[in-house]
Amino acid sequence: MSRPQTVLRGIVLGLGALVFLFPFYYMVVGALQKDPDPTIAGAFPNPANLTLDNFVNVNERINLGTGLINSGIFTGGVLLCTVVFGVLVGYALAMLKWRGAKATFALALLVQVIPFQLLQIPLYVLIARDYGLADTHVGMILPFAINSTAVIIFRQYFLQLPKELFEAARIDGAGEIRLLWSIALPLVRPALVTAVLLTFIGPWNEFLWPFLITKDAALQPLAVSLANYISTVAASTDNPFGAILAGAVVLAAPVVVLFIVFQRYFVSNDLGSGVKG
């Protein structure tokens, strides 16, 4: 590319980044303002108007620490199940020959077009009434234990792996579990991180299902607690606008940090480098 084209691309990308990041910036600024300013000028506040009182106010009503812990338990359980089941099913679909593999993959694709909201009523009846798992972390995690998107991601990554590596290992007597653990997983590390990042956002921001399955405020994730705060007690605070934005900052911060730390893993490794000759 010529120099003018490079400069133009940089300008366009820079403007796009500013447009994308401005809502996050405005959320942080609004959370720190003592007296709310909803105008454009509020995006550039007076330093004397900045305070942490909004975080204190929202924490006194809903306990941000407890909400974060519940969100972490819920999200961590979903991530663990997603990775374990996603890797096992994805490997079986990509590397093993068995009757029904194509039909199973077609069903995984079909699940993608079914909205989760359509399944929530039967799931609630099954988990809350039949299993008795209402107001439990297991009840929150169970509907998300198997993620069809993660299964598809792992299957596609496993299909890219050099077959020669597995054939050589099988000749040496390695079993399928050894092949999966020692050969396949190290080569699909980008898929592991990608699946974790894509899955993390869903349960971390999930509202409707935890709201349905949990009535005990001590067990509710932060997204549910923040929604309850907005609908019930936010208006009674001195600065409801700032308090709501303060809760939103706490909810969004782990997602932003996770992406910044692990974004480099989105770049796939050179899978073919494992084969010599």
Side-chain angles (χ1 to χ4, degrees), residues 204-229:
W204 185 263
N205 294 328
E206 179 65 28
F207 164 74
L208 188 54
W209 176 253
F211 176 76
L212 289 175
I213 203 68
T214 59
K215 303 305 179 185
D216 186 356
L219 294 173
Q220 291 177 339
L222 184 56
V224 179
S225 299
L226 185 59
N228 291 334
Y229 173 80

Side-chain angles (χ1 to χ4, degrees), residues 260-277:
I260 292 175
V261 172
F262 292 103
Q263 63 172 330
R264 63 191 181 93
Y265 290 107
F266 275 115
V267 181
S268 298
N269 293 333
D270 184 7
L271 298 178
S273 61
V275 180
K276 296 183 180 180

